[in-house]
Amino acid sequence: MDKDVTPPVKSSQPTCPECGKGDPLRIVYGYPMVDMFEAEQRGELLLGGCMIEPDSPTWACRDCHHTWGGPPSRIDGLAAIVRGGSG
Ligand SMILES: [Zn+2]
């Protein structure tokens, strides 16, 4: 009964195009708040800095550190990531 147990997916996240690993880190741009630094320390996201380039990636693989996706959208707070927005 314990086989094929899949944890609930909070939001639709891509898998790494390089190694196929799921659950990538979301790269967050914009001026980071204190809670965002703490979230980075917990490994929940990756701070990408204040500047957003047109080809800046949105996702970073935890496994092979490949980055992809984008263009990213500016995040004005951690809540936007946790809640996932309304679409
Ligand atoms: Zn990867």
Side-chain angles (χ1 to χ4, degrees):
M1 292 301 179
D2 290 332
K3 66 179 180 180
D4 296 334
V5 174
T6 304
V9 180
K10 288 184 294 187
S11 62
S12 58
Q13 291 184 331
T15 55
C16 178
E18 286 294 311
C19 71
K21 183 178 178 64
D23 191 29
L25 286 170
R26 175 70 179 269
I27 303 176
V28 180
Y29 297 88
Y31 191 81
M33 301 301 167
V34 174
D35 57 351
M36 294 170 70
F37 279 116
E38 293 175 350
E40 185 185 45
Q41 290 297 314
R42 292 194 301 266
E44 296 176 358
L45 55 81
L46 196 64
L47 295 178
C50 297
M51 300 301 296
I52 306 177
E53 301 297 335
D55 59 348
S56 295
T58 301
W59 303 101
C61 179
R62 299 173 187 266
D63 209 38
C64 71
H65 304 292
H66 177 69
T67 56
W68 76 98
S73 57
R74 189 184 185 95
I75 304 298
D76 292 324
L78 188 60
I81 304 170
V82 176
R83 297 182 60 183
S86 57

